[in-house]
């Protein structure tokens, strides 16, 4: 028998562990044998003491342990164990990077890659990590070393400035971990298009890598239109704008509250050789800007809505649903008959089913006939383990406004 601290579950509270769900909530815990520090390796055991899984303990979070292995004899305390997990995740992304037209992607997607709390994003030879749980935080030196040895990047940079760390009582942390300071703007390619990424100050780890596949779908749809006009709401650094122009869009209007994001968006146009004149930037609130565009009788052939997370918990869902409905109403009103809507929600608390109902409600209220012609999720380098449906946070609908 192993000698690690043990978490003994209440009777009949082991079903989720047996189904290999990676989160063990505090309510399932009957008692703890030993005195684990936050981040410590713990054995999860049934009420009668049988081994069920290995996890990392968290003293502060409601998620009392994050589970990652269900074999007792897998040596989960060793560097070899974690090296193998990292290698497996990185190998799965090789095909995506193989032909060189894409040079940035997510290499490790936390729970869904069997390493709870660890995000690793690859931007050419700059690697950005987020340590989001007590377990990986306690092993940060080990992961830093393993990542340097496996990936040989010029830079290993940390962007653990994420709210979820508060739940583990971990302070935000940002800065260089190994190698050279990153350039102010890191240059990457996606499907042959060029983008500048600010890994120090940009959102998430610098870029919305999760929308790569959907940006490609937008380009493919735009190619089939005749030089459409495009409204890109919540544009950030103009990712969808660049793809739209690459697909032959005649003009793009970007809307975002962040002047800095729009400025980098301008640079992204220039480095892909697109005329500045083809793009108009509106710096401001999208809810207001879309109403104003409608008042001025503007219309578009394609509208993209990629708002930030509106719902952070279940209790936010109703308020968030009103926000999604409102912005979708504004977008649908602006579309010409036959126009396309690419509408997204990245709120994990809003299910795909609920999101569809919200878009339905929006179409009904503005009296337009709308069809779904495609469904979207996060890009394939952000996989969702079947044991962890919570990992599927991004959902999108490609719609056509018929009349
Ligand atoms: N589509 C982008 C990612 C969008 S992220 C891409 O593919 O890269 C969401 C963006 O919405 C952020 O850039 C944020 O600055 C912006 N934002 C947040 N609230 C906003 C609001 N009320 N109006 C306009 N933009 C907003």
């Amino acid at each position: 028998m192993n000698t690690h601290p043990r978490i003994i579950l209440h009777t009949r509270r082991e079903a989720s562990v047996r189904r290999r769900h990676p989160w063990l909530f505090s309510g399932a815990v009957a008692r703890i044998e030993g005195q684990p520090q936050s981040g410590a390796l713990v054995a999860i055991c049934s009420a009668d003491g049988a081994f069920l899984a290995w996890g990392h303990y968290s003293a502060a979070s409601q998620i009392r342990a994050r589970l990652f292995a269900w074999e007792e004899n897998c040596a989960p305390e060793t560097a070899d164990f974690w090296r193998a997990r990292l290698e497996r995740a990185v190998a799965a992304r090789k095909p995506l990077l193989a032909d060189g037209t894409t040079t940035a992607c997510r290499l490790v997607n936390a729970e869904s890659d069997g390493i709870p709390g660890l995000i690793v994003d690859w931007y050419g030879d700059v690697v950005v990590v987020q340590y989001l749980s007590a377990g990986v935080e306690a092993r940060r030196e080990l992961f830093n070393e393993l990542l340097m040895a496996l990936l040989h990047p010029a830079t290993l940079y940390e962007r653990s400035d994420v709210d979820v760390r508060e739940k583990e009582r971990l302070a935000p942390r940002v800065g260089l971990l190994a190698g050279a300071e990153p350039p102010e703007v890191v240059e990457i390619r996606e499907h042959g298009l060029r983008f500048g990424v600010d890994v120090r100050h940009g959102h998430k780890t610098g870029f919305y890598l999760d929308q790569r596949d959907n940006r490609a779908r937008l380009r493919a749809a735009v190619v089939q239109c005749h030089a459409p006009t495009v409204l890109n709401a919540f544009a950030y650094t103009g990712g969808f704008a660049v793809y739209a122009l690459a697909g032959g869009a005649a003009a793009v209007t970007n809307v975002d509250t962040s002047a800095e994001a729009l400025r980098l968006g301008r640079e992204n146009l220039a480095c892909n050789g697109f005329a500045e004149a083809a793009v108009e930037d509106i710096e401001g609130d999208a809810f207001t800007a879309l109403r104003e565009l409608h008042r001025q009788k503007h219309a578009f052939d394609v509208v993209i809505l990629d708002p930030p997370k509106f719902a952070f918990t279940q209790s936010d869902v109703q308020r968030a649903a009103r926000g999604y409905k409102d912005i979708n109403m504004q977008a649908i009103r602006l579309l010409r008959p036959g126009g396309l809507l690419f509408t997204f929600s990245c709120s994990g608390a809003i299910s795909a089913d609920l999101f569809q109902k919200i878009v339905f409600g929006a179409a009904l209220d503005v009296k337009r006939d709308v069809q779904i012609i495609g469904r979207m999720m996060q890009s394939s380098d952000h996989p969702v383990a079947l044991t962890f449906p919570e990992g599927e946070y991004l959902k999108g609908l490609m719609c056509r406004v018929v009349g």
Side-chain angles (χ1 to χ4, degrees):
M1 206 174 76
N2 70 69
T3 55
H4 294 279
R6 300 185 344 141
I7 293 184
I8 313 294
L9 304 185
H10 286 298
T11 46
R12 292 188 297 279
R13 292 301 295 271
E14 61 200 56
S16 87
V17 179
R18 289 199 190 279
R19 285 198 301 265
R20 302 196 166 201
H21 194 283
W23 290 348
L24 178 69
F25 285 94
S26 56
V29 176
R31 63 178 197 281
I32 297 175
E33 294 178 359
Q35 291 180 322
Q37 301 279 310
S38 225
L41 179 67
V42 286
I44 316 302
C45 301
S46 64
D48 58 14
F51 172 89
L52 296 173
W54 290 110
H56 287 152
Y57 183 66
S58 174
S61 169
Q62 289 286 40
I63 303 175
R64 193 48 41 91
R66 288 176 196 253
L67 316 187
F68 53 84
W70 283 260
E71 281 290 321
E72 189 167 9
N73 298 318
C74 64
E77 68 284 4
T78 62
D80 283 348
F81 178 88
W82 294 110
R83 184 183 299 109
R85 286 280 162 107
L86 289 172
E87 282 171 355
R88 187 173 85 178
V90 170
R93 276 70 174 185
K94 279 266 159 63
L96 181 61
L97 302 170
D99 72 359
T101 58
T102 294
T103 62
C105 73
R106 176 151 297 182
L107 292 179
V108 179
N109 196 33
E111 271 78 347
S112 288
D113 276 310
I115 313 181
L118 181 69
I119 298 289
V120 182
D121 287 345
W122 169 259
Y123 295 103
D125 57 4
V126 174
V127 171
V128 185
V129 296
Q130 294 181 320
Y131 291 110
L132 303 179
S133 68
V136 287
E137 176 74 13
R139 290 160 187 78
R140 46 189 289 117
E141 299 302 330
L142 171 65
F143 280 112
N144 292 343
E145 280 169 29
L146 290 174
L147 287 168
M148 286 304 287
L150 182 62
L151 303 169
H152 308 292
T155 300
L156 184 66
Y157 197 77
E158 177 166 18
R159 281 294 305 273
S160 301
D161 50 338
V162 183
D163 292 345
V164 293
R165 269 175 70 100
E166 274 172 33
K167 297 204 166 94
E168 307 261 344
R169 282 204 212 106
L170 301 171
R173 200 193 288 101
V174 172
L176 186 69
L177 294 171
E181 280 289 342
E184 237 163 74
V185 176
V186 179
E187 287 175 18
I188 63 153
R189 279 193 302 282
E190 250 194 26
H191 298 299
L193 298 167
R194 292 168 184 278
F195 294 96
V197 179
D198 180 351
V199 299
R200 283 197 191 80
H201 311 105
H203 295 180
K204 307 231 267 188
T205 61
F207 202 60
Y208 287 87
L209 295 168
D210 53 356
Q211 286 283 27
R212 182 193 323 97
D213 293 355
N214 302 328
R215 287 189 281 261
R217 287 185 75 173
L218 172 89
R219 176 169 64 180
V222 166
V223 166
Q224 293 182 350
C225 301
H226 180 68
T229 56
V230 177
L231 173 64
N232 183 22
F234 308 95
Y236 190 50
T237 54
F240 280 102
V242 167
Y243 276 74
L245 291 167
V252 179
T253 304
N254 286 319
V255 182
D256 204 285
T257 42
S258 164
E260 183 49 30
L262 291 171
R263 192 192 60 73
L264 194 48
R266 287 262 146 208
E267 289 181 15
N268 287 333
L269 288 182
C271 68
N272 287 287
F274 296 125
E276 291 246 346
V279 175
E280 185 195 352
D281 289 335
I282 301 176
E283 181 194 330
D285 172 43
F287 290 85
T288 313
L290 268 59
R291 280 191 166 76
E292 186 58 20
L293 286 167
H294 181 68
R295 205 182 59 74
Q296 295 171 0
K297 302 204 163 23
H298 282 276
F300 296 89
D301 302 307
V302 179
V303 176
I304 301 134
L305 287 182
D306 185 19
K309 205 178 194 178
F310 289 165
F312 291 87
T313 62
Q314 274 304 325
S315 58
D316 293 337
V317 166
Q318 285 220 334
R319 188 188 46 76
R322 284 195 293 276
Y324 285 118
K325 183 175 173 188
D326 185 23
I327 200 69
N328 277 277
M329 281 169 55
Q330 306 313 323
I332 295 168
R333 282 204 307 185
L334 284 166
L335 278 161
R336 296 195 176 97
L340 299 179
L341 173 67
F342 282 70
T343 181
F344 298 95
S345 163
C346 62
S347 303
I350 304 269
S351 68
D353 187 44
L354 175 58
F355 187 55
Q356 181 173 327
K357 289 193 174 102
I358 292 168
V359 178
F360 164 57
L364 205 58
D365 277 19
V366 296
K367 301 187 171 60
R368 302 290 297 272
D369 290 330
V370 178
Q371 303 166 323
I372 296 173
I373 56 173
R375 291 181 188 279
M376 295 169 283
M377 61 175 285
Q378 63 230 41
S379 298
S380 60
D381 52 332
H382 295 56
V384 183
L386 281 173
T387 51
F388 185 55
E390 291 83 349
E392 187 172 347
Y393 62 96
L394 182 64
K395 61 223 59 100
L397 293 173
M398 194 193 303
C399 296
R400 180 163 47 220
V401 176
V402 185

